[in-house]
Amino acid sequence: MSQLVSNRIRTMAVKLGLPHLAESLNQYAKRADEAKMGYLDFLDLLLAEELAVRDDRRFRQGLRLSKLPHHKTLDDYDFSFQPELDPRKVKDLATLSFVEAKANAALLGPPGVGKTHLAVALAVAACRAGYSIYFTSLDDMVRHLKAAEAAGRLTSKLRTYLRPSVLVVDEVGYQPLERAEANLVFQVISKRYEKGSIILTSNKTFSEWGQVFGDEVLATAILDRLLHHCDVISINGNSYRLKNRLQAIDRETDVA
């Protein structure tokens, strides 16, 4: 490829909003020459590389905006420590068919079993697949909605929780809610019903949600919409955090 042609292609790539192509043109041209690529194969290489860069940029931007507490994946989860949890059920969720169907997923179990890890891993997978995601604890969501309501900005703030394709609501049940607070949660669940997916984690069984939301009727209304299209996974194993602490204690005892 002549320098004149190379410069002209770079200029057009910049104008077309293809900065990676402009920067890497010589590298691609060398690869094409070494592989004796035809014109169509060379074009396919250029477009595929540019698309990969854009997808990676979109993925990183999506993670930045998601408010996820970390970016752990399913590969980081120790299924061997939770022998009662069937990995196939989790991996079925990781296909994201429930997100495509605008359905929900609920991860239930005692503290420390990895519910948040799995919820985040599913959210990361959804983000990589091109879905918008947003993470919040239930308490934080209620607190922000209450503040917005008091300031007359409730409708605007609700969009934060209604806009993303996947809303992750963590730690449902750690603190009981007042009825007015539960009603705010109902608004989010109701407005997202069949319009977007929710991934939630809870240390309470669904039969205990009446206590969590301070009203059996309201809890039933929330569950009715949440569970209509929902995959539920219960994790009834030991705590990872306790395991790590006990191992540390054992090491300290051995040293002593």
Side-chain angles (χ1 to χ4, degrees):
M1 183 184 298
S2 71
Q3 190 61 42
L4 179 62
V5 172
S6 179
N7 289 339
R8 188 165 67 245
I9 292 176
R10 283 197 188 88
T11 300
M12 289 189 292
V14 170
K15 289 182 178 180
L16 289 170
L18 304 173
H20 180 71
L21 172 57
E23 295 170 3
S24 308
L25 181 60
N26 286 345
Q27 174 190 339
Y28 295 149
K30 182 179 179 181
R31 285 172 57 184
D33 185 55
E34 291 173 350
K36 295 182 171 53
M37 288 184 182
Y39 297 122
L40 290 180
D41 288 335
F42 181 45
L43 180 60
D44 180 67
L45 170 66
L46 296 180
L47 296 179
E49 292 287 348
E50 185 68 33
L51 182 60
V53 168
R54 288 192 173 196
D55 283 345
D56 185 65
R57 188 184 303 124
R58 176 203 50 74
F59 171 61
R60 294 181 184 280
Q61 174 74 354
L63 288 183
R64 188 181 68 80
L65 297 174
S66 70
K67 306 298 183 182
L68 288 171
H70 50 74
H71 299 158
K72 292 181 180 179
T73 66
L74 289 183
D75 291 336
D76 302 318
Y77 189 84
D78 185 4
F79 284 97
S80 65
F81 191 69
Q82 303 295 354
E84 293 186 20
L85 174 60
D86 187 348
R88 292 173 297 182
K89 292 183 178 180
V90 179
K91 291 174 182 177
D92 282 345
L93 287 178
T95 65
L96 304 177
S97 58
F98 78 100
V99 176
E100 184 178 354
K102 296 180 173 58
N104 307 313
L107 303 165
L108 309 180
V113 296
K115 302 185 300 295
T116 300
H117 182 148
L118 292 177
V120 167
L122 293 172
V124 170
C127 184
R128 186 170 291 282
Y131 294 101
S132 57
I133 58 176
Y134 192 81
F135 177 97
T136 180
S137 69
L138 181 69
D139 289 343
D140 281 348
M141 183 175 77
V142 168
R143 178 166 51 84
H144 289 305
L145 288 173
K146 283 179 66 178
E149 185 176 41
R153 297 184 291 103
L154 179 59
T155 299
S156 175
K157 190 59 184 177
L158 277 170
R159 295 194 192 100
T160 300
Y161 308 105
L162 301 179
R163 186 182 303 114
S165 300
V166 179
L167 175 66
V168 183
V169 182
D170 197 31
E171 299 182 340
V172 175
Y174 281 82
Q175 294 291 337
L177 303 180
E178 298 176 358
R179 194 181 191 287
E181 295 173 329
N183 184 62
L184 292 172
V185 178
F186 172 75
Q187 290 189 54
V188 174
I189 302 295
S190 179
K191 291 178 186 299
R192 287 192 64 89
Y193 176 62
E194 295 187 334
K195 294 180 181 177
S197 294
I198 295 174
I199 301 173
L200 69 85
T201 73
S202 179
N203 66 330
K204 302 293 186 183
T205 63
F206 293 131
S207 63
E208 298 174 290
W209 276 33
Q211 303 168 26
V212 173
F213 291 99
D215 186 296
E216 291 288 349
V217 174
L218 194 53
T220 300
I222 290 172
L223 286 171
D224 180 62
R225 289 158 178 79
L226 183 71
L227 297 181
H228 184 204
H229 310 291
C230 187
D231 290 292
V232 179
I233 292 181
S234 296
I235 310 172
N236 298 308
N238 297 316
S239 168
Y240 283 100
R241 289 187 289 271
L242 182 58
K243 177 194 73 168
N244 293 335
R245 180 57 184 152
L246 290 175
Q247 288 176 343
I249 293 173
D250 287 342
R251 287 194 297 269
E252 291 169 3
T253 302
D254 290 340
V255 171

